[in-house]
Amino acid sequence: MSDSDVAAKRKTRSKPKLERPRLYKVILVNDDYTPREFVVMVLKAVFRMSEETGYRVMMTAHKLGTSVVVICAKDVAETKAKEATDLGKEVGFPLMFTTEPEE
């Protein structure tokens, strides 16, 4: 057998296509009972917002009924929404944060 009898075979490597995780919105829902100062405090504590940014997000929800707080991965969004909602429940306010997929 000579060297010319051996055919060189190329090894092909296929890279699996990884999809980016779907992003989710955390939404602040306005209510008529939770004090504005408390909402801003929760936004600062849970979402690491500045006083000014927290106030703007809170006022947007106050005027329009809802406001997008942050857009992130599903598990992070659900965790933050639950943590923020639980802070309101601990004090007795009906503060609510929801999550939904971003389009």
Side-chain angles (χ1 to χ4, degrees):
M1 223 154 92
S2 67
D3 288 333
S4 61
D5 292 339
V6 178
K9 290 186 179 180
R10 288 189 180 180
K11 291 185 179 180
T12 58
R13 292 185 183 172
S14 62
K15 290 184 180 180
K17 286 196 172 189
L18 298 176
E19 289 186 21
R20 296 189 80 154
R22 192 164 184 196
L23 297 177
Y24 279 71
K25 298 184 276 191
V26 177
I27 299 172
L28 167 62
V29 180
N30 185 49
D31 65 72
D32 294 333
Y33 302 102
T34 307
R36 294 178 180 182
E37 297 80 21
F38 182 77
V39 175
V40 173
M41 188 266 312
V42 168
L43 291 170
K44 286 171 57 178
V46 176
F47 298 98
R48 310 257 190 250
M49 290 186 173
S50 67
E51 182 89 24
E52 182 182 335
T53 305
Y55 183 80
R56 275 191 273 134
V57 169
M58 178 273 303
M59 285 306 293
T60 302
H62 180 70
K63 291 176 182 175
L64 303 177
T66 61
S67 177
V68 175
V69 179
V70 69
I71 299 172
C72 52
K74 181 179 181 179
D75 55 340
V76 174
E78 289 176 347
T79 301
K80 294 244 182 220
K82 181 175 180 354
E83 183 181 349
T85 301
D86 289 348
L87 279 174
K89 285 182 182 177
E90 285 177 13
V91 185
F93 295 126
L95 180 65
M96 186 185 332
F97 290 82
T98 63
T99 60
E100 68 179 42
E102 186 190 33
E103 289 112 30

